[in-house]
Amino acid sequence: MRIFSGIQPTGRKHLGNYIGAIRQYVAGQERAADGESIYCIVDLHALSVAYDPAELRERLYDTTAILIAAGLDPGRCVLFRQSDVREHTELTWLLSAVTAHGDLNRMTQFKDKSAKQRELVSAALFLYPVLQAADVLAYKADEVPVGDDQRQHVELMREIARRFNERFAPDTPILVEPEHRIPEIGGRVMDLQDPTMKMSTTGGTGQGTVLVLDPEDVVRKKVMSAVTDSGSEVVRGTGKEGIGNLIEVLSVIREVEPEAIEHEFEGFGYGDFKRAVADGVVDYLAPVRERYDQLRADEDELEAILAGGAEKARAIAAPTVAEVRDAMGVGPPRG
Ligand code: TYM
């Protein structure tokens, strides 16, 4: 079983990324054999919207250090920077030949993000899901741990793999159709100030987004000022999206069912409950923040880790791309 996932080096990583994805990456590293869980920091995806080149490098180091601080061990998993493995871009072009324009047009993330671009809606934004498909398919990964917002992208990569195999490798399939792994609880952490939208550094509110690296007092403040409703019961339900979101967050942190949280807080008010959530989130993120500072300070070491990861990644991706080229009749025949 092989696991692959990608994370953007843009913005600052938040509790939604942590609960929906990063936590699962670490669990994946534990479940898979050494070298069979592969995590990629997708700097090329970040070029699809307006960005600052110098900042991109900084954020890439931030993200690398967060992932290691969260528990990824570069000795056991493969941790690398997307642009270091050129096979991803080549495979993107090859796969674009079996990707329906209409499918890309239907991607909700493309619609959302393109509506937000002020100056340029780039072709890169449109092709974003093909690069994402290439990321995963190059490794013939079986599983893709992601948050709920990536469901449609994983569905598309399955479709691309299917169409490629049907057209170019009908007898012995070359590409693997991966399964998404979206957590049932915590797959979509909502903004604390506006629980009708997902937590996000680009689309959400600043106050409603808990950053992994926020200092303790900031985390507390954000959780304590989370929007709730006029009721008083700590239960999930319609009209109780704010409380429901906090219940889910605490249930993930405590590793219990949401029902157990509802039961525990029967008869308590929102204030007590929010204090418990704030304590939980602070304790959950504190060790990551502590390890982060030390890791982030040594950029040479981070570069060395990424270079080692890229070498391992290339050794897996290059043979796949060679097979795909050959099946598509590109380049000289293979011996
Ligand atoms: P990115 O960097 O936006 O997000 C990283 C991961 O965090 C998850 N996530 C959330 N989960 C729960 N609640 C939230 N509020 C929340 N916000 C974000 C995302 O679902 C994601 O898993 N397109 C991908 C990056 C990518 C990729 C890949 C993923 C590139 N290539 C190949 C998987 C496989 C993205 O934008 O992630």
Side-chain angles (χ1 to χ4, degrees):
M1 192 239 342
R2 183 174 286 160
I3 298 173
F4 183 100
S5 199
I7 185 163
Q8 294 208 61
T10 44
R12 299 186 182 261
K13 294 300 134 189
H14 52 75
L15 188 63
N17 298 130
Y18 202 90
I19 286 181
I22 297 173
R23 166 179 72 106
Q24 296 205 80
Y25 303 167
V26 181
Q29 171 182 271
E30 306 306 318
R31 280 191 299 120
D34 281 2
E36 294 293 314
S37 63
I38 306 171
Y39 304 111
C40 177
I41 303 163
V42 297
D43 55 345
L44 297 176
H45 276 110
L47 316 187
S48 59
V49 292
Y51 76 102
D52 174 51
E55 201 179 315
L56 177 61
R57 289 217 172 87
E58 293 298 315
R59 295 289 164 265
L60 191 125
Y61 291 137
D62 296 351
T63 308
T64 310
I66 286 183
L67 293 178
I68 301 170
L72 288 188
D73 172 357
R76 293 169 62 205
C77 69
V78 179
L79 178 63
F80 72 107
R81 171 171 47 207
Q82 187 184 38
S83 62
D84 287 345
V85 181
R86 311 264 168 117
E87 279 75 9
H88 292 231
T89 40
E90 181 173 359
L91 189 57
T92 300
W93 183 255
L94 297 171
L95 295 180
S96 72
V98 288
T99 305
H101 181 276
D103 285 347
L104 293 178
N105 244 336
R106 273 191 288 279
M107 293 289 118
T108 53
Q109 207 149 79
F110 172 70
K111 290 187 208 162
D112 291 349
K113 287 192 183 175
S114 55
K116 281 186 203 140
Q117 297 308 303
R118 297 241 170 89
E119 290 184 356
L120 172 77
V121 176
S122 68
L125 192 58
F126 189 68
L127 287 173
Y128 181 117
V130 190
L131 177 58
Q132 183 163 347
D135 291 341
V136 176
L137 301 181
Y139 297 86
K140 303 189 179 182
D142 307 291
E143 256 186 35
V144 188
V146 282
D148 185 63
D149 62 352
Q150 296 301 313
R151 193 182 288 273
Q152 202 184 21
H153 284 162
V154 178
E155 198 39 62
L156 179 71
M157 62 184 77
R158 291 172 59 84
E159 176 64 26
I160 291 174
R162 203 157 35 230
R163 199 171 292 130
F164 173 87
N165 287 334
E166 261 169 35
R167 169 81 177 83
F168 296 108
D171 301 328
T172 334
I174 292 175
L175 298 179
V176 172
E177 282 180 47
E179 306 274 348
H180 64 66
R181 194 177 171 97
I182 299 173
E184 229 170 275
I185 307 290
R188 195 174 190 83
V189 177
M190 307 309 274
D191 187 284
L192 301 185
Q193 288 295 316
D194 181 355
T196 63
M197 55 184 190
K198 68 174 182 187
M199 189 176 283
S200 149
T201 41
T202 44
T205 69
Q207 264 306 102
T209 307
V210 173
L211 302 180
V212 174
L213 301 177
D214 271 342
E216 180 177 333
D217 56 326
V218 175
V219 173
R220 273 187 201 288
K221 208 163 159 213
K222 286 179 178 174
V223 175
M224 292 310 291
S225 59
V227 165
T228 49
D229 53 81
S230 56
S232 60
E233 274 177 86
V234 180
V235 289
R236 293 164 299 161
T238 335
K240 297 185 74 78
E241 287 72 19
I243 281 292
N245 189 36
L246 295 178
I247 291 173
E248 291 208 355
V249 165
L250 193 57
S251 100
V252 168
I253 288 175
R254 296 243 188 112
E255 297 180 1
V256 297
E257 295 298 317
E259 290 76 15
I261 301 287
E262 291 172 338
H263 188 64
E264 179 182 339
F265 287 91
E266 249 171 43
F268 285 87
Y270 286 169
D272 289 327
F273 172 59
K274 281 186 183 175
R275 247 183 306 281
V277 178
D279 287 343
V281 176
V282 164
D283 290 348
Y284 190 57
L285 297 179
V288 184
R289 214 177 51 235
E290 278 160 29
R291 285 192 288 266
Y292 172 86
D293 286 334
Q294 203 186 351
L295 291 159
R296 180 63 182 85
D298 193 347
E299 291 184 357
D300 290 344
E301 175 61 17
L302 294 174
E303 277 297 350
I305 289 170
L306 292 170
E311 206 174 309
K312 289 194 263 176
R314 207 172 295 122
I316 306 173
T320 311
V321 176
E323 278 181 278
V324 168
R325 282 170 58 107
D326 193 51
M328 293 181 87
V330 172
R334 293 208 299 168

